[in-house]
Amino acid sequence: MRIALLSLLAVLVLVVVAWVALSQSRYGRAMSLLVRMGKVPGVVGAHVGGWQVTTVETQMLSFTGRHGARVARLYRPATVRTRPILLTGGVHALGIDEPRLIAFAETLAKSGTPVITPQLPDLKEYLVTTRLTDDIEDAALAMLAAPEVPQDADTRIGLLGISFAGGLSIIAAGRPALRDRVGFVFSVGGHARLPGVMTYLCTGRQPDGRMHPPHEYGAVILLTNLAEDVVPADQVAPLRAAVHQFLHASHVDMFDKPQAAIEFQKARDMETGLAPEARAFMHLVNERDALGLGARLLPFLDRWGREAELSPASSPAPTAPVFVMHAQGDDVIPDSEAPALAEYLRSKGTPVRMFVTSLMSHAEVARTPTVAELVTMVRAWAELPW
C-alpha cells in the first residue's frame, strides 16, 4: 500500500511539474492566447487564459511614408516575450479604433507581443489600393526604426494582416526594402489574386470553379472602389457617402439591432436623394442584392484591381515563413484563395503553413474551439517564429 501511494504521489508530482512547465512554455503562451481569443469557458478558460499574461500600455506614434503623414497605435506589454508585429485590419471606417481590432491587439499584447496598428487612410474609406501596400511597407520600416517599439535580437518584425490586408501584407514582405526585416507573415482571410475574388463577388463562382453565394458586403466594397467608373463624376461622392452609411449600419447590426434599424433607414433615405444612376446602384445595396449588384459591376472589373501590387500571386514572394488561415465557406474572400496562395508561395520557396477552418467567419472567431481544434491551433501558433 505504501509503495502504491508513493507511486501515485510521484505521478501527481510529475503531472504538476509538467503542467507548470507547459504554462511557462511557448505552447502554454499560445494556448493561453487562443483560449482568450476563443472565449473558452469554465476552469480551462479561467486558469489557462491567465498563463503568461501581462499588463499593456498604449501610445500613439507618428511616421511619414511615401504617401504622407501617418499615425499608429502601439500596444506595449510590460513583459516583452516576442518580436513586435504590425497588425493591419480590414476595410472599416473606424480604422484602428474599430472595437474588434482593439480587442485582438490587446489580446496579443497581453501575451507579451508588442503590437502596432497603423492607421491607413484608404482602409477607412473602404478602398483597396496600391497605396495600401506601400503604407504597410512604410509602416513596418518606420516601426522597426522607432525607439518606442521593443525589438528582438534579430530586429525583425512580424506582419499580421486581416482580410484584404492579409494578402497585401504578404506583398509588402516580399519587397526588397523589407524582405530581410520580416520574421513571419500571418494572413487571416487574405487573397491570392484580387481579380478572381472580384469576379466571385459579382457572380458567386469561385476561382476554382465552385459556386458559393457571396455576401453582399463584398459587392458593396467593390462598388465603393468602382464608383468613379460606374456613375458620373458628380455622383461619386454622394454614392460613396450612402454606401458608407449602409456599411456603418451593417457594423452596428452586429451588436445593436434597434439602432441598426435606424441606421439602415438613413441609408434608404440617402438613396432617395441620389441622382438616377447612383440611386439605381444604391437600391441594390439597400436590398442586399449581391448578385444583382455584381451583374451591374461585372462589365467594369477590368478597370480596377489588376495591378500586381494588389495580388500576392502576381508579386515577388517573401522569404519569411507565411501562415495562411482562412474561414471555411468564406463568402467575402472565398476559401479557394488559401490553397492558391499557399501553392504559389511554395513554388517560390517560401515556407508556408495553411489552415482552412470552420472556427472562423471571414476574419474573426465564430465559435469556441473543440479540444482537438485547440491543440492543432496551439501547435501552429507556438511554432511561428515569434
Side-chain angles (χ1 to χ4, degrees):
M1 178 67 72
R2 183 180 179 184
I3 293 175
L5 288 173
L6 289 174
S7 297
L8 178 59
L9 180 61
V11 170
L12 290 174
V13 169
L14 287 174
V15 169
V16 170
V17 170
W19 188 253
V20 172
L22 173 62
S23 71
Q24 298 303 312
S25 69
R26 60 178 178 170
Y27 293 95
R29 185 170 66 246
M31 186 179 294
S32 174
L33 171 65
L34 291 167
V35 160
R36 283 179 280 121
M37 285 175 55
K39 296 180 173 60
V40 175
V43 175
V44 172
H47 182 71
V48 176
W51 287 353
Q52 300 189 53
V53 169
T54 185
T55 57
V56 176
E57 293 184 351
T58 62
Q59 68 180 106
M60 296 302 297
L61 306 176
S62 60
F63 65 98
T64 301
R66 73 197 79 179
H67 299 297
R70 300 286 187 265
V71 297
R73 180 176 288 125
L74 169 64
Y75 297 79
R76 182 177 181 132
T79 302
V80 176
R81 298 188 174 95
T82 75
R83 70 175 80 253
I85 66 167
L86 187 80
L87 169 61
T88 307
V91 287
H92 199 287
L94 294 179
I96 61 174
D97 296 320
E98 202 278 313
R100 291 170 298 175
L101 183 67
I102 291 174
F104 186 31
E106 289 178 339
T107 301
L108 287 170
K110 285 179 180 178
S111 290
T113 297
V115 178
I116 307 104
T117 55
Q119 186 77 285
L120 307 184
D122 285 351
L123 287 180
K124 286 173 63 66
E125 296 297 322
Y126 298 95
L127 300 176
V128 180
T129 70
T130 57
R131 288 187 300 269
L132 286 176
T133 312
D134 296 341
D135 278 347
I136 292 170
E137 178 188 8
D138 292 345
L141 291 170
M143 294 304 103
L144 282 165
E148 298 90 346
V149 179
Q151 302 292 341
D152 68 336
D154 63 8
T155 61
R156 290 185 295 172
I157 194 169
L159 302 183
L160 199 166
I162 299 173
S163 189
F164 289 106
L168 301 184
S169 293
I170 293 172
I171 299 169
R175 290 183 168 182
L178 191 56
R179 61 188 294 123
D180 294 330
R181 308 293 308 279
V182 175
F184 68 89
V185 187
F186 197 148
S187 170
V188 181
H191 63 286
R193 294 178 176 85
L194 188 57
V197 173
M198 293 160 50
T199 300
Y200 161 71
L201 292 173
C202 290
T203 65
R205 182 178 295 279
Q206 298 186 161
D208 63 359
R210 289 181 293 154
M211 296 298 295
H212 182 59
H215 196 284
E216 72 271 4
Y217 174 85
V220 172
I221 296 299
L222 274 184
L223 175 59
T224 303
N225 284 271
L226 287 166
E228 294 175 347
D229 297 303
V230 301
V231 298
D234 62 341
Q235 297 182 35
V236 171
L239 175 59
R240 281 181 171 157
V243 168
H244 288 186
Q245 175 60 36
F246 174 86
L247 290 167
H248 168 67
S250 299
H251 174 68
V252 174
D253 192 52
M254 298 173 65
F255 55 86
D256 188 341
K257 299 293 185 183
Q259 183 60 39
I262 296 172
E263 300 300 332
F264 279 124
Q265 184 58 51
K266 291 179 181 177
R268 288 189 289 271
D269 292 342
M270 293 175 76
E271 173 192 327
T272 63
L274 295 174
E277 295 91 339
R279 189 188 314 134
F281 279 103
M282 192 61 204
H283 182 70
L284 294 170
V285 171
N286 283 326
E287 292 298 311
R288 301 174 184 266
D289 185 354
L291 293 179
L293 179 57
R296 292 288 305 273
L297 296 175
L298 193 60
F300 300 93
L301 291 191
D302 61 349
R303 304 189 187 188
W304 173 74
R306 304 285 166 171
E307 301 93 334
E309 297 92 334
L310 292 176
S311 293
S314 301
S315 302
T319 55
V322 176
F323 187 97
V324 177
M325 181 180 288
H326 214 102
Q328 187 177 40
D330 193 330
D331 56 5
V332 177
I333 297 178
D335 57 22
S336 59
E337 291 299 282
L341 180 55
E343 180 181 0
Y344 171 76
L345 293 172
R346 288 181 182 129
S347 74
K348 301 300 181 182
T350 302
V352 180
R353 294 193 70 171
M354 183 194 75
F355 289 87
V356 177
T357 175
S358 62
L359 275 173
M360 296 175 57
S361 172
H362 182 47
E364 59 186 307
V365 176
R367 61 175 174 83
T368 300
T370 65
V371 172
E373 289 169 333
L374 184 60
V375 169
T376 299
M377 294 307 300
V378 163
R379 181 178 178 184
W381 278 72
E383 294 177 0
L384 275 172
W386 292 95

